[in-house]
Amino acid sequence: MNVKRFLRTAVDLSTIANLATALTVLTAVIFGLIEMRRARREREERAAFAAVQAILTPEWMRSMLLVHNIRDDATAATIEGDARVLDAASAVGIILEGIGYSVYARIVPLHVVSDLMGGTIRLAWRKLRPYIEEERRRTGSNKTFEWFEWLAKQIERYGPGKTNLQTGAQEAYLDWKP
């Protein structure tokens, strides 16, 4: 009888040890998933902050105002005819090129860029497209502002969000609560 009792106790201890191991592994997996999610959210927040910093420079603001004021029917020659506008077009294109690649590389989420500056990107693409296409034709290379164009197209496809030229954030997110 002592042998049976010993085996039953050993089995019970073995079962308890296996259960404890399984619970430990399960807890570690759950903790790991929670940490991965937190780290991803933190990375997105840092990327959004970097995007905000990129557009809050005096150069970006001056350049974007000049680009914003380009007539919709402006040709490449019109843009190139004014050195200040051409410099502004280059500055805006270069910044949006970097942001476009950052979205492609999944460093900055598309929804963050779309919410923050989707309208600005669509407007800049509309104003600068004739100049960029002419520059590509002249150089024989489609590399000129490729990520800027890619970003504008992705925002049109996936990220139009709740705001547009008719509805601003002040209306679209009126019911927002902290």
Side-chain angles (χ1 to χ4, degrees), residues 76-92:
T78 305
I79 292 170
E80 292 169 334
D82 185 334
R84 285 180 7 150
V85 172
L86 183 59
D87 286 346
S90 295
V92 166

Side-chain angles (χ1 to χ4, degrees), residues 95-109:
I95 289 169
L96 293 179
E97 185 81 353
I99 292 173
Y101 183 78
S102 296
V103 169
Y104 169 77
R106 294 179 177 18
I107 296 167
V108 182

